[in-house]
Amino acid sequence: MTDPQIALMMLGIFIACVFLGFPIAFTLMALGIGFGYYAYFDVGRMWRAFNRLAEDASWWESARLWLEGYFNNRIFDLFVNQTYTVISNEVLTAIPLFLFMGYIVERANIVDKLFGTLALATRNIPGSMGVAALITCALFATATGIVGAVVTLMGLLALPQMLKARYDHSFASGIICAGGTLGILIPPSIMLIVYAAASGVSIVRLYAAALLPGFTLVGLYLVYIIGRSILNPKLAPKPTKEELPEVPTGQMVWMLITSFLPLAILILAVLGSILFGLATPTEAASIGALGGMILAVAYRAMTFQRLRESVYLTVRTTAMVCWLFVGSYTFSAVFSYLGGERVIAEFVQGLDITPIQFLIIAQLIIFLLGWPLEWSEIIIIFVPIFLPLLPFFGIDPLFFGVLVALNLQTSFLTPPMAMSAYYLKGISPPQIKLTEIFSGVLPYCFMVLIAMVLMYQFPQIVFALPDAFYGPSR
């Protein structure tokens, strides 16, 4: 077999291991080191010292030199260097800080007050509780970026209230699932940090580029919720005064100030400091982590147990991302050295397709990968396969990254592997069927598709803010 064929076999074995359920990060490392041992095998280097061994040398000396020769392969040097590269990556430093901010905010009892206040403030809008739930999900998802946490917490808080208000099961479930996934698109998003580290795109420009697409998607969701509530009032009946009592204007303003404003200020402070160049993403993340702790103290929700849980979950998630990067970097280096990357590039370039066709094919592949894989695995492992092809088709990696972030919304919403639906089903009342949740999330997949088409047709949705803030880079 030629080296490129071995590289493709390496990729095939990895995909098979993924479907068999092996741990992704350690599978990548094992395949990278195993195939790398073959790729970097150098007899002259490895056995030089052993071959010069004296004839009367002891068995211990012979065994020691043989072991040194066996492990004197450049793949081990590569593995160590890649590990150091990941650990010393300044972009990735922001990940644990943003995660810690999210976990602290999740435990600060902010969300229940926020949802209650927004439900009262929007009571005269069709589908008011759905609108309040989506806005709460968007704000909370932006603060945390952790899909499972948002869907689970909102399922515990908002879903019972909507069911009590006689909302359709499918309609209410879809709102929470769709709103909970927004955190991987709207900055400050952990997913965008990971993409920036994998692609070399400026995280500051990427955050600016993702803002308008994120708000566009939220707007489409709101139009859908209000529109369906107008067309079919039975889906979202108007709440009665017993369910949502009228509140004086002054009291409503005070409730908004104490529930909505603190979280909004925290998010704006973090985002604004990044976008206006007042702080690096890492510095802004540290501000966010401190702000999350202050909010938890202000809401009298800070306890040692909650702090310990937040630290533990932060360390666990950060370690998962870092090991994925280490495995991916090692795997991709060996894959490229064997010529696998060149084979894929030549194959795609030989298809004679247009840039739009390439984007559609790439997004379709990423959409399908979203069924068995998490977004982190797709971004770290598979997206780098497409990145070297972008210059050939004249596609800006910034535009491609926002498209991927938008596309990955569907990976949490598309049956049969819609993780948001399973998160919600795990904590929902028994009368909520999984099929009802699936039918509720499908319309939001079409909203994502509409948003992607809008980006294809009007690329300035992506480029307007980064060009306005930092000047054109193309």
Side-chain angles (χ1 to χ4, degrees), residues 326-340:
V326 171
S328 175
Y329 280 16
T330 305
F331 182 93
S332 60
V334 175
F335 183 75
S336 179
Y337 184 81
L338 289 171

Side-chain angles (χ1 to χ4, degrees), residues 53-57:
L53 191 67
E55 292 183 2
D56 59 346

Side-chain angles (χ1 to χ4, degrees), residues 195 201 205 390-391 393-401 463 473-474:
Y195 177 82
V201 174
R205 295 187 68 90
L390 299 184
F393 290 100
I395 299 170
D396 194 313
L398 185 74
F399 182 78
F400 186 76
F463 294 114
S473 63
R474 291 162 287 162

Side-chain angles (χ1 to χ4, degrees), residues 400-430:
F400 186 76
V402 178
L403 265 183
V404 170
L406 198 57
N407 189 356
L408 287 177
Q409 300 288 310
T410 61
S411 68
F412 288 93
L413 300 175
T414 310
M417 299 300 290
M419 289 308 299
S420 288
Y422 292 111
Y423 290 141
L424 185 61
K425 176 58 182 172
I427 51 85
S428 60

